[in-house]
Amino acid sequence: IVWIWVGNIATAIPEKRERGVEAFREAAALYEGLVAAQPDNAFWRLKTGDSYLGASIVLGALARWDEALASARQAEAIYSRLESIDPKSEYYRQERVAAQGLRAKALLGRGDLGSAEPLLLEAERVMLEQNASQPANVLLRERLAGVQSDRGWYHELRASRSVGAARTRQWQMALEWSRKAERHLDELHAQGRVPMGGTEELGRVRRRIAECEAALRAARRSRT
């Protein structure tokens, strides 16, 4: 558990993120050893999934997308297995969906928009349900903001591959989803409830909003 906390702290500090990767991988190796010794122990499996989830987050922050994708897939497989054993567990479902969202993010980072889109749509659908049932849960709300931010990124990437009216429409959609993410993060920030990394994500979302607004202004000028 100590290694996971080291990884979480290091992830929030840009210059320490490489150490964060090491910490999460050390945690995963430790818990995998415990799973091998006690294969029926669900807690060790859960902590192994948490380690891979954390690794995917920090690897994504470092733009090491292939590694982030591999870690997200490992986390998702572990949580899916736990969920199949205990389908009533809302916690296992939450973590599986979080891993799915990270898999989508890594695919976006690799430029595979087609594979990322259905994962983003499903992750957001489930996260909206989770947030509605647990509105005071800060982590769930941050995750919802994250996947909506990634939907904004998806449309921004689509805009870069489009022309004419289709490109303008993609910029508009990128702006719409980014503003949704901004509202969640703004409210958490105003309440002093932003989790580790939330302030950085808010800055990233606001930069995307500015890019979208500039692109749409340019598109309007070109039509006049």
Side-chain angles (χ1 to χ4, degrees), residues 13 29 43 88 102 121 131 135 151-152 181 185 189 198 217 222:
I13 306 170
F43 181 74
K88 294 183 179 180
L102 289 172
L121 293 174
N131 186 65
R151 287 197 68 179
L185 294 171
H189 189 271
R217 284 194 300 270
S222 69

Side-chain angles (χ1 to χ4, degrees), residues 107-136:
L107 287 166
L108 288 178
R110 287 169 36 136
D112 187 350
L113 308 191
S115 298
E117 183 183 22
L119 297 175
L120 284 173
L121 293 174
E122 176 64 10
E124 190 206 17
R125 183 188 68 78
V126 178
M127 287 181 184
L128 282 168
E129 294 174 1
Q130 293 170 348
N131 186 65
S133 65
Q134 300 181 55

Side-chain angles (χ1 to χ4, degrees), residues 100-187:
Q100 179 182 318
L102 289 172
R103 180 157 64 98
K105 187 183 190 78
L107 287 166
L108 288 178
R110 287 169 36 136
D112 187 350
L113 308 191
S115 298
E117 183 183 22
L119 297 175
L120 284 173
L121 293 174
E122 176 64 10
E124 190 206 17
R125 183 188 68 78
V126 178
M127 287 181 184
L128 282 168
E129 294 174 1
Q130 293 170 348
N131 186 65
S133 65
Q134 300 181 55
N137 189 316
V138 173
L139 179 60
L140 292 182
R141 193 164 189 194
E142 183 198 31
R143 286 175 171 176
L144 174 59
V147 80
Q148 289 180 336
S149 172
D150 289 338
R151 287 197 68 179
W153 185 24
Y154 164 81
H155 287 292
E156 187 177 32
L157 293 170
R158 284 283 304 274
S160 69
R161 302 180 182 188
S162 304
V163 295
R167 183 171 189 173
T168 299
R169 177 58 181 155
Q170 291 300 326
W171 280 117
Q172 290 170 335
M173 295 177 73
L175 181 59
E176 174 186 337
W177 290 109
S178 297
R179 282 177 171 165
K180 287 183 179 183
E182 183 189 33
R183 283 195 292 271
H184 288 298
L185 294 171
D186 261 341
E187 288 177 13

